[in-house]
Amino acid sequence: MDIEFNKNEDYLKILVSELKTKLKKIHLGGGEAKIAKQHAQGKLSARERVAYLLDKGQPQIEIGAFAGYGMYADHGGCPGGGVVVVLGYIKGRMCIIVANDATVKAGAWFPITGKKNLRAQEIAMENHIPIIYLVDSAGVYLPMQNEIFPDKENFGRIFRNNAILSSMGITQISAIMGSCVAGGAYLPIMSDEALIVDKTGSIFLAGSYLVKAAIGEDIDNETLGGATTHCEISGVTDYKSKDDKDCLSSIQNIIDKIGDTNKAGFNRAKPAEPTKDPEEIYGLMPMESSKPYKTQEIIDRLLDNSEFEEYKAGYGKTIITGYGRIDGWAVGIVANNRELIRSKKGEMQFGGVIYSDSADKASRFIANCNQKKIPLVFLQDVTGFMVGSRSEHGGIIKDGAKMVNAMSNSVVPKFTIIMNNSFGAGNYAMCGKAYDPRLIVAWPNSKLAVMGGAQAAKVLLQIEKSRLKGLGKEITPEVEKELLDRIHADYEEQMKPEYAAARLWTDAIIDPLDTRKWISMGIEMANHAPIEKAYNPGIIQA
């Protein structure tokens, strides 16, 4: 291996190490003291509950661990969005689990908490998998109620989704393991079955203090809405559990009895490891995101036996398309090629840029995968579509629109891996978050923005200079440099993968070596939902 490889390897391994350090802190939620307080109350923490519920030794993936990262500083922060969401197995059945973290503001719902819960429900709906709610929440975080309460994608959408999931026949099970108050009380009771833990679980529309204020009645919370009340008097809940572990064991027993469902029928052979060492990805990805590299070398380290059947290898070379397998599952790969490429006309093409011929090729390949019922994997390292008179005269807008149509209307599941750059309309065409990938994750070296940092900073500088000149302020070279440096630093911060993951533009930031696991579990998840819609690429035919 050369010096460049070693430098790249060190750089990416450091980023992975920093990622794991950040995750360890996030996993503590509100901190060790708050976790100890949970234990003193006879309760497990949210993560302990999830760990107890899931099958030991089986793979699992966490959705939205970075939700809320660096946000809400004025409110003390909201680690993990105050909720833990994990895709894993219970008694061998794939489920998604949503567990309120009561160590974070008593499990109160911040705006990002609602968005993360909605993402979990979306995953359950799209893939027809059971969803388990482990409820321990004080309800809406009142200082931010105006951002969580009334809109379409806010708190109320959770209950709408409860109803839709029920109508789809998708199992929902709720465990009331702590507080469950006000509007939040509807979530567990709109589930198919509800469990409640004796003495620590409670559910009511209004607690004892509010009842006293509203109607003058003196009553304690346990009598008002504890386990005995709701299991023996109101009939609101179905199972009374003596403690957290008893409750979680009951959920396991319920899940164990669920019958099988129809499958989509995606092709799976015997899994095999890549013959080329996946750890070499660390050295193959360049430290500088603008540097070219051989994307095919990355693909070879993701696919079973490193076997790849390339489609239209000699045409539209800035996008690589072809068939392979990941953990046995058949996949169609659409990847941005980051090599410097010479076209048939002898012109140099920029790697990571989408040209007309590559957009046309990708559109045709996406259609083929839909015809063959093969899930699509998009490997993003894209700076956008080619610009300039030659591209415009050649119809780049038309060809780009064709690719977006073909991808948007895909009926086979799509999975997106942001390996490096994800800029502008390239993010869209390569199945960014707005285009419903079943899962979308980023590597820790990735950058996500409308354009690259240097270009954006110059544009923003001109806007700021015009504003300051309008105020009559003189822009000296020193002031201009200071402005550019500040703007560039701010923009670079917004391009980081943590910034995107905090806002759930991606589901996770992952170690590149976990890519195969995410795609494999994603396809297995998607296989639970039969494809019922015929593929039609839209107005612009592929």
Side-chain angles (χ1 to χ4, degrees):
M1 299 297 178
D2 59 20
I3 293 175
E4 192 72 17
F5 183 97
N6 292 334
K7 286 181 178 178
N8 293 341
E9 182 179 40
D10 290 345
Y11 173 72
L12 191 45
K13 281 186 174 181
I14 288 170
L15 290 181
V16 169
S17 177
E18 290 173 349
L19 168 67
K20 292 177 179 177
T21 299
K22 290 170 185 173
L23 284 171
K24 281 183 181 179
K25 186 175 181 181
I26 289 169
H27 290 174
L28 289 174
E32 292 178 345
K34 295 273 183 73
I35 294 172
K37 186 177 178 181
Q38 287 258 112
H39 291 164
Q41 295 170 346
K43 296 160 66 174
L44 300 174
S45 71
R47 291 187 177 277
E48 288 168 340
R49 288 166 176 168
V50 173
Y52 186 94
L53 190 56
L54 289 174
D55 294 347
K56 306 299 181 287
Q58 293 301 306
Q60 58 182 260
I61 54 179
E62 182 173 354
I63 308 294
F66 273 89
Y69 185 81
M71 299 168 65
Y72 311 120
D74 292 345
H75 299 270
C78 187
V83 64
V84 179
V85 176
V86 176
L87 179 73
Y89 302 87
I90 302 173
K91 295 292 186 178
R93 179 176 291 273
M94 184 173 273
C95 301
I96 190 156
I97 302 165
V98 182
N100 296 118
D101 187 349
T103 70
V104 179
K105 292 288 193 296
W109 289 55
F110 282 67
I112 198 66
T113 315
K115 190 173 183 179
K116 187 170 174 179
N117 275 266
L118 289 170
R119 176 64 179 135
Q121 289 183 319
E122 179 183 48
I123 288 170
M125 281 191 279
E126 284 183 331
N127 301 288
H128 294 194
I129 58 173
I131 181 167
I132 317 299
Y133 308 99
L134 306 181
V135 183
D136 193 348
S137 171
V140 166
Y141 182 61
L142 287 177
M144 301 189 74
Q145 64 85 26
N146 61 315
E147 296 182 44
I148 181 65
F149 169 64
D151 208 351
K152 180 179 178 181
E153 300 301 331
N154 285 171
F155 191 68
R157 188 78 171 180
I158 302 290
F159 314 132
R160 175 264 187 194
N161 285 352
N162 286 139
I164 298 299
L165 283 156
S166 180
S167 73
M168 295 173 68
I170 297 169
T171 298
Q172 300 178 85
I173 297 172
S174 286
I176 302 158
M177 310 183 81
S179 297
C180 184
V181 299
Y186 287 103
L187 183 148
I189 309 311
M190 291 187 74
S191 300
D192 301 302
E193 295 182 89
L195 305 87
I196 185 168
V197 179
D198 194 23
K199 300 297 186 290
T200 55
S202 60
I203 177 170
F204 32 63
L205 293 180
S208 56
Y209 291 123
L210 186 54
V211 168
K212 174 68 173 176
I215 63 173
E217 181 183 3
D218 283 308
I219 190 169
D220 63 272
N221 283 338
E222 183 63 25
T223 306
L224 182 66
T228 299
T229 295
H230 286 309
C231 286
E232 300 177 19
I233 299 174
S234 72
V236 166
T237 52
D238 306 308
Y239 305 90
K240 181 179 178 180
S241 306
K242 63 180 182 181
D243 56 26
D244 279 12
K245 290 183 178 180
D246 181 46
C247 180
L248 297 168
S249 295
S250 293
I251 294 173
Q252 292 170 336
N253 291 333
I254 295 166
I255 293 291
D256 191 39
K257 310 302 187 297
I258 298 175
D260 202 1
T261 59
N262 295 330
K263 299 293 191 293
F266 301 128
N267 185 296
R268 192 178 197 187
K270 184 179 179 180
E273 294 295 318
T275 54
K276 294 188 177 180
D277 186 359
E279 286 214 17
E280 292 176 354
I281 290 173
Y282 293 136
L284 293 167
M285 290 299 298
M287 287 176 59
E288 296 178 32
S289 62
S290 60
K291 279 193 172 182
Y293 62 92
K294 294 182 178 180
T295 304
Q296 183 63 57
E297 293 287 342
I298 305 296
I299 294 171
D300 290 344
R301 286 155 179 81
L302 295 176
L303 297 181
D304 291 12
N305 295 315
S306 301
E307 293 177 348
F308 185 61
E309 187 68 33
E310 189 168 1
Y311 172 81
K312 288 186 177 289
Y315 177 71
K317 292 183 178 181
T318 63
I319 287 183
I320 298 172
T321 53
Y323 305 104
R325 291 187 183 276
I326 292 178
D327 197 33
W329 295 104
V331 295
I333 300 288
V334 181
N336 301 111
N337 189 2
R338 283 303 310 273
E339 291 185 89
L340 289 174
I341 299 156
R342 189 174 295 279
S343 72
K344 287 186 177 180
K345 296 178 182 179
E347 301 161 339
M348 291 305 297
Q349 293 184 331
F350 299 101
V353 178
I354 302 174
Y355 290 76
S356 283
D357 53 357
S358 49
D360 174 66
K361 177 173 79 171
S363 302
R364 293 171 183 268
F365 180 71
I366 290 166
N368 287 349
C369 286
N370 274 269
Q371 183 187 50
K372 297 179 175 70
K373 203 158 73 171
I374 300 173
L376 286 158
V377 175
F378 291 83
L379 301 178
Q380 282 197 12
D381 189 352
V382 60
T383 53
F385 285 87
M386 190 58 191
V387 297
S389 60
R390 180 171 296 178
S391 290
E392 297 292 0
H393 296 170
I396 186 65
I397 295 175
K398 171 177 63 67
D399 291 318
K402 181 166 64 175
M403 181 177 174
V404 171
N405 267 276
M407 181 272 302
S408 299
N409 287 294
S410 175
V411 296
V412 297
K414 300 168 290 193
F415 302 90
T416 302
I417 314 297
I418 303 175
M419 302 191 303
N420 196 16
N421 300 306
S422 181
F423 295 152
N427 167 278
Y428 299 162
M430 291 293 292
C431 196
K433 181 64 182 291
Y435 294 85
D436 300 322
R438 297 295 175 97
L439 294 171
I440 176 170
V441 297
W443 289 357
N445 56 302
S446 63
K447 295 182 178 181
L448 179 65
V450 73
M451 65 177 72
Q455 304 95 306
K458 289 176 183 176
V459 173
L460 292 167
L461 175 65
Q462 295 307 314
I463 295 170
E464 182 66 4
K465 283 171 64 178
S466 296
R467 186 186 73 84
L468 292 173
K469 284 179 180 177
L471 296 173
K473 296 185 178 180
E474 182 185 358
I475 309 298
T476 65
E478 292 77 17
V479 170
E480 181 170 331
K481 183 182 184 305
E482 184 182 332
L483 280 172
L484 181 62
D485 289 345
R486 176 175 56 79
I487 290 169
H488 189 265
D490 289 346
Y491 195 85
E492 285 286 334
E493 191 67 27
Q494 292 179 19
M495 292 169 65
K496 288 182 177 179
E498 293 88 349
Y499 191 92
R503 290 152 183 80
L504 291 174
W505 301 344
T506 61
D507 290 317
I509 309 169
I510 67 168
D511 183 335
L513 300 187
D514 287 333
T515 303
R516 282 170 49 86
K517 179 176 77 169
W518 275 78
I519 294 171
S520 176
M521 288 189 70
I523 298 174
E524 182 182 349
M525 171 183 77
N527 198 40
H528 288 83
I531 297 172
E532 298 172 348
K533 182 180 176 183
Y535 175 65
N536 184 334
I539 295 171
I540 302 176
Q541 297 296 312

